[in-house]
């Protein structure tokens, strides 16, 4: 059913209920409508000053990221709240499924950097950015509670802004030059998120999520980066963390290290 049709039916029901038209008054009939409704996602707010105006471009795209740290979503939101970090996203989803809003939908958050989607440059201008708490090493699992929240959030945003599922993309697919970014990691089931969010919008049964556990003894806090030819400290910080401002921290953790291709660097697990 189209939005206008829903509004019309709801309007008729509200008028029919007469007197003070409350939602409670139309519960029996509205129940049928709600089967196709996508509920808002509960969230807290830690607002970031790192945004600007979008201009005239309508919101037409959702970009998924991983945070690249073992730290919590709140820690990432606090990093975004620091003007010195010069980065942000609209939402951060924690491992337990809790969601934090950092930038209002109608503002341009700073998450995608140099980027293009379907040939249009500057993805930040027309997208919403969702950060998913995960170190992004292709091993740390994405818990079901977290993925379910991502699905609900994507469905809600897609419905609210009329964004087709084909425009729910990953940072790695839009970053320029190609290969600059790896998020979301290989073990993030992007196809599942799209399928499940569409099912939520359509009111059909959600597909089952397959959880892939980490190997025994795995520690998400011990991340290592292998230096590639041509790497710079700022490039590594941008590539891993979406934030050049993390470069000084990587240098501090690897005092005296040189950027020799093949060399291993320790990476911070928090900001
Ligand atoms: Zn990213």
């Amino acid at each position: 059913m189209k939005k206008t049709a829903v509004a019309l039916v709801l309007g008729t029901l509200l008028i029919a209920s007469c007197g003070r038209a409350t939602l409670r008054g139309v519960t029996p009939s509205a129940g049928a409508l709600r089967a196709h409704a996508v509920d808002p996602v509960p969230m807290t707010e830690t607002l970031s000053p790192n945004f600007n105006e979008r201009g005239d471009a309508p919101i037409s795209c959702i970009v998924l990221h991983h945070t690249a740290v073992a730290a919590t979503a709140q820690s990432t939101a606090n990093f975004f709240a620091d003007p010195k970090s010069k980065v942000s996203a609209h939402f951060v989803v924690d491992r337990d499924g809790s969601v934090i809003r950092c930038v209002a939908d109608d503002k341009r958050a700073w998450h995608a950097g140099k980027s293009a989607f379907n040939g249009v440059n500057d993805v930040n201008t027309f997208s919403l950015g969702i950060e998913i708490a995960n170190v992004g090493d292709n091993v740390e699992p994405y818990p079901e509670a977290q993925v379910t929240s991502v699905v609900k959030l994507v469905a809600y945003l897609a419905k609210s802004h009329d964004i087709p599922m084909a425009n729910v993309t990953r940072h790695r697919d839009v970053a320029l030059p190609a290969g600059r970014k790896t998020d979301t990691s290989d073990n993030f089931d992007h196809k599942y998120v799209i399928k499940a969010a569409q099912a939520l919008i359509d009111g059909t049964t959600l597909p089952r999520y397959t959880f892939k556990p980490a190997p025994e003894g795995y520690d998400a806090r011990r991340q290592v980066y292998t230096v590639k030819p041509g790497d710079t400290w700022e490039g590594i910080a941008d590539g891993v963390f979406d934030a050049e401002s993390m470069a000084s921290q990587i240098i501090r953790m690897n005092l005296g290290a040189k950027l020799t291709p093949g060399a291993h660097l320790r990476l911070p697990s928090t900001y």
Side-chain angles (χ1 to χ4, degrees):
M1 195 182 281
K2 284 207 172 106
K3 259 189 199 159
T4 44
V6 174
L8 273 175
V9 172
L10 199 57
T12 311
L13 289 168
L14 288 170
I15 292 161
S17 71
C18 72
R20 281 183 63 207
T22 61
L23 267 180
R24 189 179 295 163
V26 295
T27 298
S29 305
L33 294 174
R34 284 186 56 80
H36 293 262
V38 179
D39 293 326
V41 180
M43 57 182 75
T44 57
E45 270 187 354
T46 298
L47 295 176
S48 167
N50 302 329
F51 67 84
N52 51 2
E53 299 303 321
R54 285 185 183 277
D56 296 331
I59 300 166
S60 59
C61 172
I62 298 173
V63 182
L64 303 184
H65 305 255
H66 61 227
T67 57
V69 285
T72 60
Q74 186 60 58
S75 172
T76 296
N78 295 345
F79 182 60
F80 291 166
D82 181 353
K84 289 200 290 286
S85 74
K86 296 192 175 75
V87 285
S88 65
H90 294 87
F91 306 94
V92 192
V93 181
D94 212 351
R95 293 167 178 84
D96 66 2
S98 55
V99 180
I100 307 171
R101 179 199 293 279
C102 303
V103 175
D105 289 11
D106 64 341
K107 302 296 181 194
R108 178 181 175 276
W110 303 344
H111 57 98
K114 205 164 181 298
S115 53
F117 181 72
N118 284 349
V120 185
N121 284 327
D122 191 15
V123 174
N124 283 342
T125 300
F126 55 89
S127 69
L128 292 163
I130 301 176
E131 287 279 353
I132 303 163
N134 187 282
V135 296
D137 58 357
N138 299 324
V139 181
E140 189 193 358
Y142 292 84
E144 185 165 10
Q146 183 180 38
V147 174
T148 302
S149 279
V150 173
V151 167
K152 286 179 178 172
L153 185 58
V154 165
Y156 180 69
L157 296 172
K159 184 99 175 163
S160 309
H161 299 287
D162 275 329
I163 302 170
M165 281 302 139
N167 290 10
V168 178
T169 186
R170 307 173 298 178
H171 198 185
R172 63 195 290 172
D173 300 321
V174 299
L176 294 175
R180 179 172 68 86
K181 297 298 308 182
T182 59
D183 59 332
T184 54
S185 59
D186 295 346
N187 63 329
F188 180 74
D189 198 343
H190 184 69
K191 285 193 183 124
Y192 172 83
V193 168
I194 288 178
K195 234 164 85 176
Q198 189 62 59
L200 214 54
I201 291 169
D202 296 343
T204 56
T205 312
L206 248 67
R208 273 180 80 96
Y209 176 65
T210 312
F211 177 74
K212 296 182 200 92
E216 213 172 311
Y218 169 75
D219 186 346
R221 292 165 302 178
R222 295 180 161 194
Q223 272 209 89
V224 172
Y225 178 84
T226 307
V227 178
K228 298 191 294 287
D231 267 347
T232 62
W233 294 104
E234 286 75 20
I236 294 169
D238 172 56
V240 176
F241 298 104
D242 287 359
E244 285 189 13
S245 54
M246 289 290 282
S248 54
Q249 202 166 325
I250 303 172
I251 292 169
R252 267 204 308 278
M253 279 193 79
N254 297 276
L255 278 181
K258 297 238 162 59
L259 295 180
T260 314
H264 298 300
L265 303 176
R266 292 194 304 137
L267 288 177
S269 63
T270 187
Y271 302 100

